Amino acid sequence: MAKDNRQSLYGEVANRIIAELEDGRVPWVQPWDAARCPVTMPNNGVTGRIYSGINVLILWAAGIGGGYSSQRWLTYKQAEKAGGNVKRGEKGTVICYADRFTPKDEAQKAQSEDRDARTVAFLKRFTVFNLDQCEGLSIDGGEASNVP
């Protein structure tokens, strides 16, 4: 990912947090009505994987702002695979995934030179939708009945 894309993602997240603070809310403290939005960790509606890091704050804020009844999220493609779709006009929430990988040629070169391979950091963004923003899904109770 280009450096300017990575910086714009960091900027977007920072701007969201700053806006919450300027509105008198501390995004990492429970300011919401637990009856309206269950206090649960955001998770992927298909895989059940719990989101981590800054994505938790981003998705909590989006869940509160959207008045969603759950903290279950999925991508557009996951909604299609689950037999449903994202409702027309719905706006997704951008989250990010950061990790490191070792290029194949670097791993081979490092092995031949008897040294540790250098890793490359990457940051990828995804757009996710709350289950409330979707329709026709074959997902219930956290399990997807027709998704591999």
Side-chain angles (χ1 to χ4, degrees):
M1 172 176 277
K3 187 175 180 180
D4 58 334
N5 283 343
R6 183 172 57 237
Q7 288 175 337
S8 71
L9 179 58
Y10 292 152
E12 288 174 29
V13 171
N15 289 338
R16 286 183 198 169
I17 293 171
I18 290 167
E20 290 285 318
L21 292 171
E22 287 174 344
D23 285 343
R25 292 184 299 271
V26 181
W28 49 87
V29 176
Q30 180 183 343
W32 58 88
D33 177 4
R36 227 182 90 214
C37 182
V39 183
T40 59
M41 290 297 287
N43 64 81
N44 184 285
V46 173
T47 67
R49 182 177 183 273
I50 294 175
Y51 292 103
S52 61
I54 193 66
N55 292 330
V56 173
L57 297 177
I58 292 169
L59 295 174
W60 273 347
I64 295 163
Y68 303 135
S69 63
S70 77
Q71 279 293 336
R72 296 174 62 200
W73 304 83
L74 63 160
T75 65
Y76 187 89
K77 285 184 181 181
Q78 286 176 320
E80 285 182 330
K81 281 187 176 182
N85 61 285
V86 174
K87 294 175 187 174
R88 182 172 294 249
E90 292 290 342
K91 302 289 186 224
T93 301
V94 177
I95 59 171
C96 57
Y97 176 71
D99 206 347
R100 301 183 81 74
F101 77 98
T102 304
K104 187 185 245 184
D105 58 335
E106 170 60 18
Q108 292 169 347
K109 186 176 179 182
Q111 186 176 9
S112 69
E113 295 174 359
D114 194 31
R115 64 173 172 82
D116 289 336
R118 293 183 194 100
T119 59
V120 176
F122 70 90
L123 182 65
K124 187 174 182 179
R125 64 176 65 207
F126 293 91
T127 301
V128 293
F129 299 88
N130 189 278
L131 260 56
D132 290 357
Q133 295 177 283
C134 301
E135 57 192 4
L137 298 174
S138 298
I139 299 174
D140 57 359
E143 299 297 321
S145 59
N146 69 347
V147 178

